[in-house]
Structure formats: structure tokens, C-alpha cells
Amino acid sequence: MQPSRAQRISAACGDVDAVVISNGTSPFLDMMFWYVTEQTSGTFEGSFAIISKDGSLDVVTGPLEETTARTGLGNIHIYEKRDDRDRTFSDILNGCGRIGICGRSTTYSVSEYIKKITNADLVDVSAKIAEVTMIKDDKEVAEIREACAVSSKIATDIPNMLRIGITEKEMAWLIESGMRENGGSGNAFDTISAFGENSAEPHYRPADRKLRKGDTALFDFGSKYGMYCSDLTRTVFFGEPDGILRRAYDVVLRAKNAGMEKMFGGSPAKDADLAARAVIDGSEFKGRFIHSFGHGVGMNIHESPSIFPGSEDTLKEGMVVTAEPGIYLPGIGGIRIEDTILIKKNGAEPLTEFDEGFTVI
């Protein structure tokens, strides 16, 4: 029998007496709470998941989510009043001198509360938890596959959605509503929908720009399925584009393929970025690849590992990451081609699917 997620985290954080996963009030919620409890719903504001040194799990939450809490993992403790919560929290952590917290997501007020109740030293164990969550278990991979299937279906439909005069905002809405209609549980992140010159900005927010003939149309979006994310970018052309964009598309596709050849269990994460960057920098578009090649994907859309030239991470079997090189030409347009990828022992399996050929509509 495989160890539970809580047991794996406890083993990774062996130099502390317990690990506390905490939620403040929305939006200061930690997806690790859902990870260790394997919950798929609920807000759980002001709740705690406590992992003891032996790997046992206690969940402290209020009456608003009592029914949902009892469907998840762990010993469930329901408090009615704050005094009840304080007493329960203190009892579970009695005798703990060093408590691990997720420093990347625990708010200052919550960390001060933990110190006040326990009088313990707090240790940031975010990096150690990331070592565990980077490797997806079978249940996680299955949910990510479903999320990717939803996004892939919408990517295939995009050419049929485009028409003269449609706005970036309208396209973003069609993509997002389409993902829901096809089984998605929500958006993995705010959809990027960019036409023409706006596609040269990687983190663009959709506006009222209308689609015109000759425009690049770039869409970066992802569905959630359950609590897990997908990430996909499709770039098409509404009418024949400027020749420089056709050339850029060819270079980006070659760069993506070069990077993916370096993605397999045991390979340095930076090698994929460096291989893709060498293709782009060896072309007329040197210096126009202005972000990293990829990042981890899971319950959060951006997780470890990081795939960039200075990365010290190693790709391992079971990681889910993106492959997303791009070329950006201010005032002209941008090209990005992205898939969500499962790392395997001897290669990389794309979990998202769409026609990556040069597409003119």
C-alpha cells in the first residue's frame, strides 16, 4: 500500500514535529489543504490540516463545511466557537517545539496565531512540500488528463468561433463558457485572448479590440477538472498574416519540439529551455523569447518545477509541466505554442492535443 499524501509530506519534513496547512479568508487559501484532505469542494476558511510526525492527519474546521469535511481524509474536529478551535488546535500540537508551515501561502496573521497558541518555533517547509507535490500520483494524473481533454476540445473549436468584429473579451467568454459546457469545473486562470499587436504581450488581459483580417489570434487558457488544472496556448491567423509571423510560427514550433526532446525522467529541467532557446536565438528572432520554457502544473497553475536557463530542478517521472516557447514582436504580434506535458521515464507525453500546424482562417 502506497503512503498517503500526508505521510509523504511528513517524511519529507522529518526535522519538524508537525506540519500545519492553514487557510485564512478567501483569497488566502492554500491548495495544499485540498491536496492532503483530497477534498474536491468547500471553501474551508479559517481551517487547518495538521500532519503529525507519524503521518496522521487532523482537520480542524467550522460547522459551515462539516458535511463536506467528513467526506475527506483525516480525523475531523468541528469547532463551534473560537475558544473551541484554540483548545483543539493546542491539544493536537501539544509538545511540538518545531512546526512546519507553508511560508509561501501562510498569512502573517495566521502564522502569529500558530505561534501564540503553540509557543513553538515555525519553520518554512514550502520547498520540502513542493518536492512531494511535484510528483503526481495516479489520481492526480487522471484528473489532469480530464482537464486537458476539456481544454483540447475547446482549442479544436476555436477556428469556428472566430469572425470579423468579435472582440477579445467575447472570445475569452466563449472559451470559458465552452470549457464549463464540456465538463470543466472552472477556469485554471484568467483566459488570455489577444488579437493582432496585442498578442505580443505574453500576460495580456482581453479588451475590446475587434478581430480584423490579417490578425494573429492568440489564446492561452486552461480548464479545471475537480481541483486540477490544464494549460494550453493556440495561435492562429485570421487571414494571411505578415510573412514575418509565418516565419516566427515555424521557429516557435521547432523550438517546442527541440525542448520536448530534452524532457524525460532524470534530465535537468534547464536543458529543455536551453534547447528551445538555441533554436530561437539561432534565428532572426534572437532575444524575442522573453519568458521561461515551462512550469509545473497541478492544483495550482504555476507550481514547481521551473524550466528556465538557471533552473536547478531535475525532471522526474510523474511530473506534469508545460512546454511553451514563444516569440514576441512589439507592434506586430506574438506566437506561443503550448501543451501540458506528463514526464515519463524515457520521454514526454502531451496531455493536451490540437493541430499545431500553421492555421489560416
Side-chain angles (χ1 to χ4, degrees):
M1 184 176 179
Q2 291 185 335
S4 69
R5 296 174 185 178
Q7 288 169 334
R8 295 201 301 271
I9 288 175
S10 177
C13 304
D15 59 345
V16 297
D17 299 312
V19 175
V20 176
I21 311 296
S22 60
N23 284 333
T25 56
S26 183
F28 302 108
L29 307 175
D30 190 341
M31 294 307 296
M32 287 303 96
F33 180 92
W34 285 264
Y35 176 80
V36 296
T37 62
E38 297 192 27
Q39 292 286 358
T40 58
S41 64
T43 303
F44 289 100
E45 291 182 321
S47 299
F48 299 89
I50 303 168
I51 303 170
S52 297
K53 202 171 185 64
D54 63 0
S56 60
L57 176 66
D58 288 274
V59 178
V60 181
T61 189
L64 294 180
E65 276 131 343
E66 179 175 0
T67 300
T68 299
R70 296 194 186 283
T71 66
L73 302 181
N75 305 308
I76 308 303
H77 308 267
I78 306 299
Y79 64 84
E80 294 291 336
K81 298 180 180 179
R82 179 162 183 153
D83 287 348
D84 297 331
R85 183 185 71 179
D86 296 351
R87 185 165 49 254
T88 299
F89 195 70
S90 178
D91 288 345
I92 295 171
L93 292 168
N94 183 42
C96 292
R98 283 168 55 85
I99 294 175
I101 63 169
C102 291
R104 299 172 185 173
S105 53
T106 304
T107 64
Y108 177 78
S109 61
V110 171
S111 64
E112 288 297 296
Y113 169 77
I114 296 171
K115 286 193 288 187
K116 177 182 177 181
I117 294 297
T118 65
N119 198 33
D121 294 328
L122 302 189
V123 180
D124 182 8
V125 294
S126 299
K128 293 182 178 180
I129 290 176
E131 290 176 5
V132 175
T133 59
M134 279 192 287
I135 309 298
K136 301 317 191 249
D137 59 35
D138 291 345
K139 183 177 179 181
E140 291 179 283
V141 172
E143 293 206 7
I144 294 171
R145 283 187 187 277
E146 293 290 346
C148 289
V150 171
S151 297
S152 298
K153 171 64 170 63
I154 301 307
T156 301
D157 291 344
I158 282 175
N160 298 323
M161 300 177 187
L162 294 173
R163 55 178 169 78
I164 285 283
I166 194 170
T167 68
E168 294 166 334
K169 287 181 179 177
E170 288 170 334
M171 273 300 297
W173 168 248
L174 289 176
I175 289 169
E176 291 173 357
S177 59
M179 289 191 292
R180 287 297 186 100
E181 290 168 1
N182 281 275
S185 59
N187 299 330
F189 54 94
D190 291 339
T191 296
I192 297 173
S193 171
F195 298 158
E197 67 287 348
N198 295 336
S199 61
E201 186 176 340
H203 285 170
Y204 180 73
R205 295 181 67 87
D208 294 319
R209 165 68 152 83
K210 294 182 178 181
L211 186 64
R212 301 191 293 260
K213 275 293 182 182
D215 276 344
T216 305
L218 185 153
F219 307 99
D220 187 344
F221 57 96
S223 176
K224 277 196 168 185
Y225 185 87
M227 302 299 289
Y228 286 85
C229 301
S230 61
D231 198 354
L232 183 156
T233 303
R234 191 155 177 11
T235 306
V236 299
F237 302 90
F238 195 68
E240 188 64 33
D242 189 299
I244 194 172
L245 291 169
R246 179 180 281 274
R247 299 195 302 275
Y249 192 96
D250 176 69
V251 172
V252 170
L253 184 55
R254 288 193 287 113
K256 179 172 176 286
N257 291 335
M260 286 184 60
E261 288 180 0
K262 299 293 185 179
M263 300 175 80
F264 52 86
S267 64
K270 65 182 180 181
D271 285 2
D273 184 291
L274 293 171
R277 204 168 296 276
V279 172
I280 294 173
D281 285 348
S283 74
E284 64 185 289
F285 304 106
K286 183 177 181 179
R288 303 318 308 164
F289 180 16
I290 57 176
H291 54 72
S292 65
F293 182 80
H295 55 82
V297 176
M299 285 188 166
N300 297 298
I301 193 58
H302 291 112
E303 296 186 350
S304 297
S306 297
I307 306 176
F308 70 102
S311 177
E312 297 181 355
D313 294 325
T314 298
L315 298 181
K316 298 179 181 179
E317 186 175 4
M319 288 181 173
V320 176
V321 300
T322 62
E324 51 177 308
I327 290 173
Y328 306 94
L329 307 172
I332 300 174
I335 310 294
R336 185 163 64 255
I337 304 172
E338 176 186 21
D339 277 312
T340 301
I341 305 292
L342 173 64
I343 301 299
K344 293 192 167 184
K345 181 179 179 180
N346 297 314
E349 178 191 352
L351 301 181
T352 44
E353 297 180 6
F354 66 92
D355 183 0
E356 294 182 342
F358 188 88
T359 302
V360 176
I361 300 158

